[in-house]
Amino acid sequence: MADRPRFFDDLAGAAGGAFSALTGLREELHAVVRARIDEVLSSLDLVRRDELDVARELATRARMAQEDANDRLARIEERLADLEKAVTAPSSHS
């Protein structure tokens, strides 16, 4: 009676095999569901979060560069106006 009956060993082996099969089935099901979700998302023309973050960062940098360019242009136009006034102003030496 010290030895376990072979039946329990066989049962434990079958349970282990079933557990392995279920684990494999779960992983395969997960892969199929993930592929289907990716397929649906791509058909909706959605973007991934990381792509959106990159686009947002590019837009922010572009907006900042545009604001800098506008400021520079305003300063250049101001200087040009001052130079035009200086050139067209009557000379005070006459």
Side-chain angles (χ1 to χ4, degrees):
M1 196 121 183
D3 294 327
R4 286 193 325 193
R6 182 163 169 73
F7 170 76
F8 290 116
D9 290 338
D10 291 343
L11 184 61
F19 182 74
S20 294
L22 287 175
T23 300
L25 182 61
R26 183 181 68 89
E27 290 172 1
E28 185 175 336
L29 180 62
H30 177 72
V32 168
V33 169
R34 183 70 176 156
R36 183 67 180 139
I37 289 172
D38 286 344
E39 181 182 314
V40 169
L41 290 177
S42 68
S43 71
L44 294 175
D45 285 334
L46 299 175
V47 296
R48 293 191 174 281
R49 179 66 186 205
D50 58 339
E51 293 170 346
L52 177 64
D53 290 343
V54 168
R56 185 177 289 145
E57 178 66 25
L58 288 174
T60 299
R61 289 181 184 184
R63 187 172 37 266
M64 290 171 58
Q66 182 64 42
E67 290 170 0
D68 289 345
N70 287 342
D71 290 345
R72 288 182 61 213
L73 179 60
R75 288 193 307 271
I76 290 170
E77 287 174 338
E78 210 175 286
R79 288 178 60 197
L80 179 60
D82 290 345
L83 289 173
E84 286 175 339
K85 286 179 191 175
V87 169
T88 58
S91 176
S92 61
H93 296 295
S94 304

